[in-house]
Amino acid sequence: MQLIWDEFLKILKQEAGSQIVETWFKAASFQQWNAEEKIVTLQLPNQFVSNWINEHYLGLIKTHLSRLLHVDSLKISLICKQTNADKRDIIPASVIQENNPHTAIVPKKEAPVVSQEKGELQVHSSFKGKRSNDGINPTYQFDSFVVGPCNSLAHAAAYAICQGLGTVYNPLFIYGGTGLGKTHLLHAIGNEVKKRKQKAIIRYVTTDHFMYEFISSIRFDKCHQFREKYEKIDLLLLDDIQFFSNKEQTQETFFHIFNALHQKRKQIVLSSDTFPKEIKGLQGRLKSRMEWGLVADIQTPDLETKIAILKKKAESQSITLPDDVADFIASRILSNIRALEGALVRVEAFATLTNHPITLELAQQVLVHTPEKKTDGTMLENVLKAVAKHYGVSLQDLRSKKRQKSIAAARQIAFYLMKKHTFSSLQAIGNFVGGRDHSTVIHAIDKIDTYMKEDKSLQQKVKGIEQDILTS
Ligand code: ADP
Ligand code: MG
């Protein structure tokens, strides 16, 4: 029977792919073959897997096993191995949709080490010991985090919770755009707490990975252990929780873990790319819990902060970075700090390879093709200033509600140029210029587009402003 089963798995692998076999069939076993009644009995680790196989793969199983066993009208009986201890973790069939293996929630590089034979769940090697396998990256420290107006609240809160786990803000919720330092802060908290409380059980985990572990635990009927592991933690750092979106069952489990930890005054830190209320597909009760403690945002950094970050990075890597170069890179790279670091790396690599010191000319040469378009407030500000200058109006006028012809015209040019020279959304542009809505912005841009086609003097004027913007 085992040979037939193995043969079947081989065929299935070819037909459905190895991921399906790994996910749903590795934990299944051939239990019995009743030749008289033509019934094959398969044993599955739990109801969840059984339901899934029943719904998705029964046809395939019948076709191939019939052929391999040389019988027609084969019947399949699915039975579950269920221990008492694990009963409470039976997952209802409704979870099936969400955990569809075709959805890319299982990150490949984090393939689990699963040893079913021993009946153990070894989801991820980093979960074995609490000290070295807490998921914390030692390179992200508070020391290497540059504080500026854009991140001072998040930084202060992060630092504060290290002094009294679970007592200051719980949970601490950090949100902000990509590459702005959320992950860095989460690890910094982990590192700091590690130094202060040697015995604390700390766990940094990405939401993706959390989900992955959870799903693995269902497959091998270890939900109970999964919850136990997480509920033992003193400091849980869960990164990028926007990925919980629409994962009902994972949210459900996290909800219970959250409650258990919170009740025990264990510290929870969460990060996301948006404010809790804005996270789509997240249960209301989770959203509200995320606001129980402190919600702190991280904004795009201003020029000074960017320069400070560059200098710090350069210093830590013993790179000699002249002021004008730092200034140039910082004003050139606008979207995020990750891109800023990337630019520094490229400049440094180029200098090393060509055996030249880092100079402004060299940096300009290297970054000339940076696809970076201006996305942040600095560029919006530059446009507004240039327009104000060329039209002889003030920034306040442009942002005001004044409808005077000259001011309104300048404002429309500003919208037009902001759209052209940044990736900012119409809403963001409208917000920036006195809180106008996006329809006003669209209307203005259309209008200027039309005028520009015919009006030579307007074209000249806009060109002049653009020159100012691009050289500012
Ligand atoms: P996020 O998680 O918000 O996408 P990361 O924490 O991964 O961003 O940050 C991206 C990179 O920028 C990391 O290398 C991080 O060390 C660096 N970084 C972000 N913010 C700062 C800061 N304030 N000071 C120093 N480095 C920073
Ligand atoms: Mg991150």
Side-chain angles (χ1 to χ4, degrees), residues 334-335 370-377 379-380 383 417-429:
L334 301 160
S335 59
T370 317
E372 187 76 18
K373 234 187 168 184
K374 308 20 192 178
T375 53
D376 72 352
M379 190 57 176
L380 295 177
V383 173
L417 289 171
M418 285 171 176
K419 181 71 197 145
K420 184 169 172 191
H421 291 283
T422 75
F423 283 135
S424 301
S425 66
L426 297 171
Q427 188 62 59
I429 292 174

Side-chain angles (χ1 to χ4, degrees), residues 115-316:
S115 136
Q116 211 240 326
E117 300 78 47
K118 287 185 210 146
E120 270 175 13
L121 176 71
Q122 298 181 348
V123 176
H124 189 261
S125 56
S126 72
F127 220 170
K128 278 186 226 147
K130 72 173 181 88
R131 289 303 299 157
S132 55
N133 297 312
D134 47 22
I136 308 268
N137 182 342
T139 56
Y140 292 140
Q141 301 277 352
F142 277 115
D143 281 352
S144 55
F145 191 84
V146 174
V147 185
C150 57
N151 57 27
S152 57
L153 175 65
H155 171 267
Y159 198 72
I161 59 164
C162 299
Q163 331 210 341
L165 279 191
T167 58
V168 193
Y169 313 110
N170 205 15
L172 171 61
F173 186 99
I174 299 175
Y175 77 96
T178 174
L180 295 182
K182 302 182 295 295
T183 299
H184 188 137
L185 273 184
L186 258 56
H187 284 287
I189 295 170
N191 281 310
E192 185 67 24
V193 172
K194 250 166 127 168
K195 274 183 238 159
R196 290 168 184 246
K197 294 186 96 175
Q198 308 258 320
K199 290 211 177 107
I201 303 177
I202 305 171
R203 172 82 174 141
Y204 166 90
V205 67
T206 62
T207 297
D208 259 350
H209 195 81
F210 179 88
M211 266 184 317
Y212 182 43
E213 280 182 28
F214 172 61
I215 291 166
S216 295
S217 80
I218 297 172
R219 277 167 49 202
F220 295 101
D221 222 12
K222 302 284 170 188
C223 288
H224 182 57
Q225 285 89 330
F226 175 81
R227 286 239 328 241
E228 256 179 13
K229 264 176 191 169
Y230 274 91
E231 288 173 12
K232 270 205 307 240
I233 289 171
D234 296 309
L235 167 62
L236 173 62
L237 305 153
L238 185 58
D239 208 355
D240 287 323
I241 57 132
Q242 70 272 14
F243 295 130
F244 266 157
S245 173
N246 297 323
K247 304 292 185 293
E248 288 295 326
Q249 197 65 34
T250 318
Q251 286 183 30
E252 177 77 25
T253 299
F254 177 65
F255 176 77
H256 292 297
I257 292 173
F258 182 103
N259 288 344
L261 291 179
H262 199 272
Q263 247 167 32
K264 289 187 278 181
R265 296 179 141 241
K266 303 297 186 184
Q267 182 68 49
I268 303 160
V269 184
L270 307 164
S271 89
S272 165
D273 62 352
T274 55
F275 193 75
K277 278 207 180 68
E278 299 284 312
I279 302 173
K280 296 201 181 71
L282 192 69
Q283 294 173 2
R285 55 186 190 167
L286 266 180
K287 285 186 187 174
S288 71
R289 272 168 178 72
M290 285 170 186
E291 293 176 22
W292 275 0
L294 179 77
V295 177
D297 67 338
I298 303 188
Q299 301 282 342
T300 39
D302 53 32
L303 190 67
E304 288 77 12
T305 310
K306 284 191 285 187
I307 293 174
I309 290 171
L310 278 173
K311 289 196 164 160
K312 189 143 208 162
K313 294 275 163 195
E315 195 187 293
S316 73

Side-chain angles (χ1 to χ4, degrees), residues 303 327-328 331-332 334 360 364 374 378-379 381-383 385-387 389-390 417 421 462-472:
L303 190 67
D327 213 276
F328 171 73
S331 45
R332 173 100 201 161
L334 301 160
L360 186 58
Q364 282 168 338
K374 308 20 192 178
T378 318
M379 190 57 176
E381 189 80 40
N382 287 350
V383 173
K385 278 186 188 149
V387 170
K389 188 179 120 195
H390 280 253
L417 289 171
H421 291 283
V462 168
K463 218 180 221 167
I465 303 173
E466 282 181 311
Q467 255 163 17
D468 248 24
I469 297 167
L470 296 173
T471 51
S472 64

